[in-house]
């Protein structure tokens, strides 16, 4: 009976050890599956990281191309704007010059009108004076005028 108890105790201990071994094997198996799953996740993350880096590089390149394009367009627009400004300034100068020329010619024309009116007035006065002298019976020679000088002005 002592042997039986000893054997039962040994069997019980062996069963405990077997249960512990089964539990440890199960834990190890779970750990291995977790390790495997985590390794897969790490691998996926690495692939995603590479893809994201490629995408970032591509987007940077695309962004730089777009920025260069916009800078080029801006420079072109600036050149066009400066040309328009220069043309506008040139046209303003031409208009100002034309206005000054027109004013100068108008002044000249007004001076000529004044001279014409003065000459016409003088001529009328001479004609009236001759008529008055003729009516009075005075000869232009007596008054100190030459006949030919009167005819030239008429």
């Amino acid at each position: 009976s002592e042997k039986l108890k000893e054997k039962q105790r040994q069997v019980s201990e062996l069963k405990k050890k077997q249960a512990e071994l089964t539990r440890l094997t199960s834990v190890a198996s779970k750990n291995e599956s977790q390790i495997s799953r985590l390794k897969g996740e790490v691998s996926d993350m690495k692939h995603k990281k590479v893809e994201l880096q490629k995408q970032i590089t591509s987007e940077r390149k695309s962004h730089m191309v777009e920025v260069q394009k916009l800078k080029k367009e801006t420079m072109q627009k600036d050149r066009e704007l400066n040309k328009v400004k220069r043309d506008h300034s040139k046209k303003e100068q031409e208009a100002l010059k034309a206005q000054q020329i027109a004013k100068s010619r108008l002044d000249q024309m007004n001076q000529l009108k004044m001279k014409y009116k003065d000459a016409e007035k003088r001529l009328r006065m001479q004609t009236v004076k001759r008529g008055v002298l003729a009516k009075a019976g005075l000869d232009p020679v007596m008054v100190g005028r030459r006949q030919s000088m009167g005819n030239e002005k008429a």
Side-chain angles (χ1 to χ4, degrees):
S1 120
E2 242 347 275
K3 277 186 175 184
L4 185 59
K5 281 186 182 177
E6 181 63 31
K7 292 285 178 191
Q8 283 178 341
R9 191 181 56 76
Q10 283 178 352
V11 168
S12 173
E13 276 183 37
L14 285 174
K15 282 185 179 179
K16 282 182 186 177
K17 284 183 180 177
Q18 186 181 12
E20 180 67 18
L21 185 62
T22 304
R23 187 184 68 76
L24 286 175
T25 304
S26 147
V27 166
S29 174
K30 284 181 183 176
N31 284 345
E32 284 178 20
S33 70
Q34 279 186 333
I35 288 172
S36 175
R37 182 179 55 80
L38 289 174
K39 281 183 179 178
E41 287 180 10
V42 167
S43 177
D44 286 347
M45 287 179 172
K46 285 181 180 178
H47 288 301
K48 286 181 182 176
K49 178 183 173 187
V50 168
E51 287 175 15
L52 285 173
Q53 285 176 331
K54 285 180 182 177
Q55 183 181 351
I56 287 171
T57 302
S58 171
E59 286 177 2
R60 277 188 185 150
K61 193 182 249 184
S62 169
H63 178 72
M64 287 302 293
V65 166
E66 188 66 25
V67 166
Q68 290 299 325
K69 180 182 167 191
L70 289 174
K71 280 183 181 179
K72 190 175 179 179
E73 287 177 6
T74 301
M75 288 172 56
Q76 179 66 29
K77 296 291 181 193
D78 284 346
R79 281 194 294 271
E80 289 173 8
L81 179 63
N82 287 336
K83 184 180 184 301
V84 167
K85 283 181 179 178
R86 281 192 308 272
D87 290 347
H88 179 69
S89 178
K90 186 178 176 183
K91 296 247 188 259
E92 274 186 337
Q93 291 297 321
E94 289 173 359
L96 187 61
K97 189 175 178 180
Q99 188 178 13
Q100 288 171 346
I101 289 171
K103 186 177 183 293
S104 170
R105 289 189 179 155
L106 184 63
D107 289 345
Q108 288 174 353
M109 196 171 77
N110 284 337
Q111 287 175 356
L112 287 173
K113 278 184 184 178
M114 291 296 288
K115 282 183 182 179
Y116 174 75
K117 284 183 181 179
D118 286 347
E120 198 176 57
K121 189 176 177 182
R122 242 190 343 258
L123 186 62
R124 266 189 269 124
M125 288 296 282
Q126 285 177 354
T127 306
V128 169
K129 197 173 185 181
R130 260 192 231 120
V132 168
L133 287 175
K135 280 185 181 178
L138 293 174
D139 191 357
V141 176
M142 292 175 67
V143 188
R145 298 239 188 252
R146 281 190 266 157
Q147 187 68 32
S148 62
M149 193 173 174
N151 287 342
E152 286 177 6
K153 286 188 180 176

